Amino acid sequence: MTKPAAPADGARRQAPTIKRVAARAGVSIATVSRVFADPGTVSEALRTRVEEAARALNYRPSRAARTLRVGTSQAVGVVIPDLENPFFTAVVRGIEVVLRPAGFTLLLANSDEDAAREHEVLQTLRADGVAGIIFVPINNARDAYRDVLAPPLQVVAVDRLPSNLRTDLVTVDNVEGTRLGVEHLFALGHRDVGLLAGPSRHSTAKERERGYHEALRAAGRPARTDLVHYGDFREEGGYEGMKALMALPKRPTAVFVTNNLMTLGAFRAVHEAGIRIPDEVALVGFDDMPWATSLNPPLTAVSQPSQEIGSSAADLLLDRIARPERTIRHVILETTLAVRASCGAAAHKTRARGSAGQAGRK
């Protein structure tokens, strides 16, 4: 019997990659990138270890990695936590509108709300020598971003405060937007207003919960812990949370939902239970979506300027690339309240306060 031909040598071996070099040398991908892009930033012993690992694997650094030193990359990494959330895709659209005419290509990645995955994505983008990164941070661990997003890489965060990272930031006034929505429910005569809150590890969730409690104090209403249910900013979290609120012995007559996808889940739970909106429970959501007017009934929602968030972040990044030493800026954009049938009031729009172009942080 004729023996099958042995595979070619190259087919038997894995292709040499920066990840394999890092593993062999016992260092991070970012460290390997620094060795080849700017060797003066690492110790001689570390540089020797990485170079020996690269030689053993026959690895050759890419031209992209070398651009980290000379600053000529025309690619920008964009990392969002949920590709299925239309808010984040609209933010990306806003980024693209600014960066593409400026000659930059977007490298889009999804962290999927997973801290380990986010770290790997950020390491890879840094190793590829991108000119900058715009990202929605998900990790609140101390020093989570210290090394992987260290200079000379230029970084802008959007939507959420990054843990222990001083960087440019674009957000909306989550506290004021939530307060506006909840106060609107109190103005309609509701006394027991529930809250479907997000994960407390995210600054957006904490700020929106703060706005809810400020509205309670302004209305002279006590805080009932049973009226606050924490979800995951996903549809299923809103569904389960709304079922829990509707099962209370003294259930709320109105609910403020702090995220667009959870609002979808809340609607589904209410309809399944045969509860009428807004006659038996009024609903207001945070983040107005194109499908809000197609819901039954149309959704009253706090609207945030998603594309403007992206374009503002892109503007900050271009300015940071041009002026690396300038003062850190926190841009806070306004929200509006789009009033529709789900709260039981006549349709109109109310503007919440906000401030664009602030320096420093709130």
Side-chain angles (χ1 to χ4, degrees), residues 7-341:
D9 187 57
R12 286 198 305 266
R13 290 200 304 260
Q14 289 181 298
T17 64
I18 193 170
K19 188 174 182 179
R20 291 187 62 213
V21 173
R24 187 181 182 96
V27 298
S28 68
I29 293 174
T31 298
V32 177
S33 176
R34 284 200 298 273
V35 167
F36 290 114
D38 198 358
T41 63
V42 301
S43 68
E44 184 176 351
L46 186 58
R47 178 172 55 81
T48 299
R49 194 161 89 232
V50 170
E51 288 175 346
E52 287 177 351
R55 279 195 296 271
L57 294 170
N58 197 29
Y59 172 79
R60 296 289 184 273
S62 68
R63 284 180 297 173
R66 289 195 293 271
T67 65
L68 187 63
R69 180 180 67 235
V70 298
T72 58
S73 173
Q74 289 300 107
V76 168
V78 178
V79 185
I80 60 176
D82 187 355
L83 281 172
E84 295 181 347
N85 189 326
F87 165 72
F88 293 120
T89 52
V91 170
V92 173
R93 175 60 179 154
I95 294 170
E96 183 183 45
V97 164
V98 172
L99 291 186
R100 187 171 291 279
F104 287 88
T105 299
L106 268 60
L107 302 179
L108 180 62
N110 177 31
S111 65
D112 202 29
E113 297 285 6
D114 184 290
R117 180 169 177 172
E118 178 194 57
H119 188 75
E120 183 177 1
V121 166
L122 293 175
Q123 277 191 319
T124 301
L125 288 171
R126 183 182 184 105
D128 284 346
V130 294
I133 290 176
I134 299 173
F135 81 123
V136 180
I138 67 171
N139 195 334
N140 64 352
R142 183 172 180 82
D143 297 331
Y145 303 112
R146 183 184 60 187
D147 295 329
V148 71
L149 296 181
L153 185 64
Q154 309 302 339
V155 179
V156 176
V158 297
D159 190 51
R160 304 170 185 171
L161 295 168
S163 173
N164 292 292
L165 178 69
R166 284 182 48 78
T167 190
D168 292 327
L169 175 66
V170 182
T171 64
V172 298
D173 195 335
N174 291 290
V175 175
E176 189 63 27
T178 303
R179 177 172 173 153
L180 182 71
V182 177
E183 286 182 343
H184 175 73
L185 290 169
F186 284 130
L188 292 174
H190 294 282
R191 295 176 59 78
D192 296 310
V193 178
L195 180 74
L196 286 183
S200 57
R201 67 181 182 275
H202 295 323
S203 61
T204 46
K206 288 187 287 190
E207 289 167 359
R208 291 169 194 175
E209 186 176 359
R210 196 171 97 214
Y212 167 77
H213 285 289
E214 286 187 7
L216 287 181
R217 287 193 293 272
R221 298 298 300 159
R224 281 177 51 190
T225 56
D226 62 327
L227 291 186
V228 179
H229 192 282
Y230 295 92
D232 57 1
F233 278 164
R234 301 287 176 93
E235 183 176 345
E236 198 61 27
Y239 175 76
E240 295 297 337
M242 197 65 182
K243 285 205 304 183
L245 290 179
M246 292 298 95
L248 291 173
K250 186 183 178 184
R251 73 188 191 200
T253 61
V255 176
F256 186 91
V257 190
T258 58
N259 151 276
N260 57 354
L261 296 184
M262 288 204 303
T263 302
L264 283 179
F267 261 76
R268 178 160 58 94
V270 171
H271 287 316
E272 282 185 6
I275 298 171
R276 292 172 299 162
I277 307 171
D279 299 334
E280 295 177 271
V281 63
L283 286 179
V284 176
F286 198 107
D287 199 13
D288 196 17
M289 290 287 105
W291 39 253
T293 54
S294 300
L295 293 173
N296 181 26
L299 174 69
T300 296
V302 176
S303 178
Q304 50 181 338
S306 50
Q307 286 202 28
E308 187 181 353
I309 292 171
S311 60
S312 297
D315 285 334
L316 282 178
L317 183 64
L318 292 178
D319 188 48
R320 174 65 63 187
I321 291 171
R323 300 187 298 148
E325 303 304 320
R326 71 155 168 77
T327 304
I328 289 173
R329 293 180 60 200
H330 179 180
V331 175
I332 307 172
L333 300 176
E334 291 184 338
T335 59
T336 56
L337 182 65
V339 178
R340 304 187 184 98

